[in-house]
Amino acid sequence: MVPSLMARVLSGIQPSGDVHLGNYVGAIRHWVTDQDSIDSFICIVDLHAISVPQDPAHLRAQTVELAALLLAAGIDPDRSTLFVQSHVHEHAELAWVLNCFTTFGELRRMTQFKEKAQAQAEGSVLVGLFDYPVLQAADILLYQADRVPVGEDQRQHVELTRDIAQRFNHRFGETFVVPEVAIPKVGARIMDLQNPAAKMSKSAESPQGTIGVLDSPEDVSRKVKAAVTDSGRDVVSSPDKPAITNLLTIYSVVTGRNVSDIEGSYEGRGYADLKSDLAEAIILFLSPLQEQYRDISSDPGRLRDSLELGAQKAQKVAGETLHAVYERVGFVPRRR
Ligand code: TRP
């Protein structure tokens, strides 16, 4: 096999909650535009999802919805490898092996675990939640990824992955590529419409502040009109006007116009004009994506074919890595 000269990049995405404008603009769009320059593996992490209680039908629906959305956004199953984590059994298997090279102390220090477990009595915290970062390490190391694009909140998990990879390599010889953390430069930080101090987020307390990429035009209008604003009435982006700044950022992202140009066109006009134009601009921006989504969702067979192709491509790589690992740790190969 000719080794690829393109960097291998592994992205993981949770099939929970609806994809919002911030996810789309901040991450998904880049996966689409970068498809020709990177060897992109995109994993829908349903195994991770069950580390908190899930309704089975809901999980299944969310997984399918996310896959359809990624395809609608322009992920090309031939150029990228888009797959569902549970379709590739190597993830769970490598996680087990890596469990035996990760300490209790390391996992106990993970900030995300501490935050998620905090609210519960220790006796009721699920082991899967504790072990979550090891499964994430398996996701990354199986594909020999050079880079892992994540938000700041996931940096610690990728650093743990590096430690585990180095430890394993040190003990058994070069087995894993030690991945780099890639925190994407935020071109535009999209904040919650109800609370411009917080990032737009799936888990926001008020769904009113989050624009889902599948939101109907009516929902988009309603949410934009209900967005909080700052005192004063000038449409300008400035640190003491976080709400208007956020609306202008979104406006700029969905129209491709720069912020000062937009400010200029609202001189002498108020927030209400800005909001109604912004709502329209968002609706226009989302409409091709929504149309594609409906198209793809109307053909479940084709969607399954795409995921099957992804699983096969992923498994080819994952299988090789797992095989090398099994050999190194001393498992007897099965006769073929
Ligand atoms: N933990 C990541 C998150 O919550 C999701 C994830 C799972 C992931 N496996 C991954 C991200 C591998 C990057 C690489 O966002």
Side-chain angles (χ1 to χ4, degrees):
M1 202 167 68
V2 185
S4 168
L5 296 174
M6 289 197 276
R8 170 84 50 82
V9 176
L10 184 289
S11 305
I13 183 166
Q14 288 267 5
S16 56
D18 297 323
V19 172
H20 57 73
L21 198 60
N23 304 132
Y24 178 59
V25 168
I28 296 173
R29 261 200 330 179
H30 299 290
W31 299 346
V32 174
T33 50
D34 293 351
Q35 285 181 107
D36 287 320
S37 54
I38 61 178
D39 182 13
S40 175
F41 282 67
I42 300 166
C43 181
I44 300 179
V45 295
D46 55 351
L47 298 178
H48 279 105
I50 64 163
S51 63
V52 295
Q54 296 285 341
D55 171 69
H58 185 68
L59 176 60
R60 215 176 333 268
Q62 296 261 286
T63 303
V64 171
E65 180 185 304
L66 179 58
L69 203 84
L70 291 170
L71 294 168
I75 299 294
D76 172 355
D78 289 312
R79 285 181 295 158
S80 293
T81 302
L82 169 66
F83 65 104
V84 175
Q85 190 184 28
S86 64
H87 290 180
V88 182
H89 58 76
E90 284 82 354
H91 289 251
E93 291 178 65
L94 181 61
W96 175 255
V97 175
L98 299 182
N99 273 329
C100 304
F101 295 87
T102 308
T103 68
F104 187 80
E106 284 176 310
L107 293 183
R108 194 176 42 194
R109 283 196 293 277
M110 292 291 120
T111 312
Q112 188 173 328
F113 171 72
K114 285 196 283 190
E115 280 170 10
K116 286 195 181 171
Q118 208 173 34
Q120 303 168 44
E122 192 190 72
S124 66
V125 173
L126 296 176
V127 175
L129 193 63
F130 186 62
D131 200 31
Y132 179 114
V134 178
L135 179 59
Q136 184 164 352
D139 298 342
I140 297 166
L141 299 180
L142 272 178
Y143 299 97
Q144 309 289 1
D146 301 298
R147 267 198 336 255
V148 186
V150 287
E152 199 51 62
D153 65 320
Q154 294 295 312
R155 179 193 288 281
Q156 201 184 23
H157 289 168
V158 183
E159 274 163 6
L160 175 70
T161 302
R162 291 170 56 84
D163 291 342
I164 298 171
Q166 275 160 345
R167 187 172 304 153
F168 194 98
N169 288 349
H170 190 251
R171 167 100 192 265
F172 298 105
E174 288 305 309
T175 307
F176 296 122
V177 169
V178 180
E180 301 290 335
V181 188
I183 309 280
K185 282 187 221 45
V186 269
R189 268 166 71 82
I190 296 192
M191 314 304 277
D192 189 298
L193 296 179
Q194 290 296 319
N195 173 15
K199 271 205 308 191
M200 194 175 274
S201 142
K202 298 182 192 187
S203 52
E205 278 128 52
S206 71
Q208 288 314 313
T210 301
I211 295 189
V213 295
L214 297 177
D215 278 0
S216 67
E218 297 72 37
D219 284 342
V220 171
S221 291
R222 193 170 37 74
K223 290 177 185 178
V224 171
K225 283 178 187 153
V228 298
T229 52
D230 307 296
S231 55
R233 53 189 314 269
D234 293 338
V235 176
V236 288
S237 168
S238 83
D240 62 346
K241 286 200 162 204
I244 297 301
T245 300
N246 185 38
L247 298 182
L248 285 167
T249 302
I250 298 173
Y251 204 137
S252 166
V253 163
V254 299
T255 58
R257 288 168 62 191
N258 64 44
V259 170
S260 56
D261 178 42
I262 300 167
E263 284 172 347
S265 56
Y266 286 93
E267 245 167 80
R269 297 162 68 198
Y271 294 162
D273 279 2
L274 171 72
K275 282 183 169 182
S276 77
D277 293 350
L278 173 58
E280 226 168 275
I282 296 173
I283 292 164
L284 206 64
F285 175 76
L286 293 178
S287 99
L289 175 67
Q290 296 189 350
E291 207 171 297
Q292 279 293 321
Y293 175 80
R294 279 191 293 270
D295 205 44
I296 287 166
S297 301
S298 70
D299 190 349
R302 225 181 87 208
L303 175 64
R304 291 314 194 82
D305 287 347
S306 299
L307 290 178
E308 178 55 28
L309 174 67
Q312 283 177 14
K313 290 202 294 179
Q315 192 157 42
K316 197 158 170 295
V317 180
E320 275 178 35
T321 303
L322 189 70
H323 184 78
V325 167
Y326 275 17
E327 207 250 297
R328 287 183 184 191
V329 299
F331 296 163
V332 175
R334 206 177 141 179
R335 203 171 68 188
R336 299 180 198 233

